[in-house]
Amino acid sequence: MSHHLTHLKQLEAEAIYVMREVAAQFEKPALLFSGGKDSICLVKLAQKAFGPAKIPFPLVHIDTGHNFQEALDFRDELAEMVGAKLIVRYVQDSINKGTAVEEKGLNPSRNSLQTVTLLETIEEFKFDACFGGARRDEEKARAKERFFSHRDEFGQWDPKNQRPELWNIFNGKKHVGEHFRVFPISNWTEMDVWQYIATENIPIPNLYFTHKRTIVDRQGTLLAKSDFITLLPGEKYEDRIVRFRTVGDMTCTGAVESTADNLDDIIKEVAAARQTERGTRADDKRSEAAMEDRKKQGYF
């Protein structure tokens, strides 16, 4: 067995162990699923962890209403293929009932509003642990996370109040109303994810491969044309050959110019990249602490 396969098998075994620990310690877990590559890997890992039985918890998607249709279609197809229950809740419903407020201005993003809808969904179904596909290499706030990330009764994260995790001993003790976010692939890198997808032959949305798309270059972020974006003075749409390294809300998820049309080319491209995948996300550029501020409020 090659070295990198051994490395991937170790990461896989660690993630499966974490998933089984959650199943043992919690009563109502759920898997937060976006249709992106990281959450797709979580579904594959869950199948391995609990097979030949079906995945013993639902897939939960918080739909901003500004998603790529390709990701939504893939989400539905994958849930049906693996036989998992899919729960979808909508940011628009939170806006309609007044618990979330649409941003003002020409180009409002609903990315941060997902937090409200997510916390409402956790309360609705009484989930006590939610799997997420976050990885420590993505962003400096992510690097502060444990595998078991404690959230208080308001769903908030305090980076100074996390439990130690020595020798893979995970403490899931909580009070009524509290819950955990659990990140089985915390120790994976973007390269690990792509190598795992290639090794396991995991289907992914075509957004990740090169294609022609109409975009606007907004201060270096290539945003796809959609009904949710208003051109600013001096901006114009143009067709470019691009792909996406990360998939999220269309108002803040930037593309990269690329000719990578297969997994081998994507892996080579990632190896040579000098910008992190979240470097294409406009929501992370709002401030130096943008991600950490959102996480403290209850974000993924």
Side-chain angles (χ1 to χ4, degrees):
M1 184 180 290
S2 70
H3 174 74
H4 97 266
L5 282 180
T6 302
H7 172 63
L8 290 179
K9 285 298 182 185
Q10 289 174 338
L11 290 173
E12 178 189 72
E14 179 182 61
I16 288 173
Y17 174 76
V18 171
M19 286 189 155
R20 289 174 175 167
E21 276 292 298
V22 169
Q25 293 193 41
F26 296 93
E27 295 181 3
K28 291 199 70 175
L31 192 156
L32 303 180
F33 185 76
S34 66
K37 66 184 187 307
D38 300 311
S39 57
I40 291 169
C41 283
L42 288 186
V43 172
K44 181 67 174 180
L45 290 164
Q47 287 182 289
K48 290 196 172 192
F50 304 106
K54 290 184 178 180
I55 297 173
F57 36 75
L59 311 183
V60 176
H61 182 219
I62 305 303
D63 188 345
T64 65
H66 294 170
N67 295 98
F68 290 91
Q69 188 60 47
E70 296 96 325
L72 296 179
D73 293 342
F74 187 90
R75 174 201 70 188
D76 296 342
E77 292 167 6
L78 183 64
E80 183 175 357
M81 181 175 66
V82 302
K85 179 181 179 182
L86 175 64
I87 296 171
V88 182
R89 289 297 180 266
Y90 300 91
V91 169
Q92 186 62 54
D93 290 340
S94 299
I95 294 171
N96 291 345
K97 64 185 180 183
T99 53
V101 180
E102 191 92 71
E103 285 187 359
K104 308 297 184 190
L106 283 175
N107 291 283
S109 173
R110 291 184 173 181
N111 202 48
S112 63
L113 301 188
Q114 294 178 82
T115 299
V116 175
T117 310
L118 173 59
L119 294 178
E120 290 173 347
T121 305
I122 290 172
E123 174 63 25
E124 177 186 354
F125 292 95
K126 307 301 180 187
F127 294 131
D128 53 3
C130 294
F131 291 106
R135 310 185 320 271
R136 293 190 180 113
D137 79 319
E138 288 182 278
E139 203 271 345
K140 56 184 179 291
R142 300 282 202 205
K144 298 179 183 179
E145 286 282 23
R146 305 286 198 266
F147 282 101
F148 277 33
S149 178
H150 174 263
R151 304 299 171 106
D152 65 19
E153 64 271 25
F154 300 106
Q156 296 177 330
W157 174 68
D158 180 0
K160 297 179 181 178
N161 188 31
Q162 299 296 306
R163 283 85 182 271
E165 293 179 346
L166 306 175
W167 304 289
N168 284 344
I169 298 174
F170 301 118
N171 181 359
K173 185 177 180 181
K174 61 180 179 56
H175 295 104
V176 175
E178 299 175 345
H179 72 278
F180 279 78
R181 308 289 171 83
V182 182
F183 304 109
I185 60 172
S186 288
N187 286 336
W188 297 38
T189 65
E190 183 185 10
M191 177 64 80
D192 294 328
V193 169
W194 283 116
Q195 288 181 333
Y196 190 71
I197 288 170
T199 301
E200 296 291 327
N201 196 27
I202 300 173
I204 55 174
N206 56 18
L207 288 163
Y208 286 111
F209 299 107
T210 186
H211 58 285
K212 181 186 288 188
R213 188 172 288 265
T214 304
I215 63 96
V216 58
D217 186 339
R218 177 160 294 166
Q219 297 178 334
T221 300
L222 307 182
L223 297 176
K225 183 178 182 180
S226 72
D227 295 336
F228 323 119
I229 293 177
T230 302
L231 290 181
L232 303 176
E235 291 183 338
K236 63 178 181 179
Y237 284 121
E238 56 186 322
D239 290 339
R240 291 202 197 176
I241 304 300
V242 300
R243 72 175 192 88
F244 292 87
R245 290 176 69 185
T246 178
V247 174
D249 192 297
M250 292 185 74
T251 62
C252 59
T253 302
V256 294
E257 292 191 277
S258 170
T259 58
D261 60 1
N262 59 71
L263 291 174
D264 286 342
D265 285 350
I266 288 176
I267 289 170
K268 292 175 184 176
E269 191 176 88
V270 170
R274 290 297 174 263
Q275 182 184 48
T276 66
E277 62 193 290
R278 290 198 70 92
T280 62
R281 295 289 291 267
D283 52 327
D284 287 350
K285 298 178 182 179
R286 292 190 171 195
S287 75
E288 280 292 314
M291 171 64 81
E292 182 157 336
D293 291 342
R294 293 201 304 276
K295 284 175 63 62
K296 287 179 178 178
Q297 294 166 2
Y299 188 72
F300 302 102

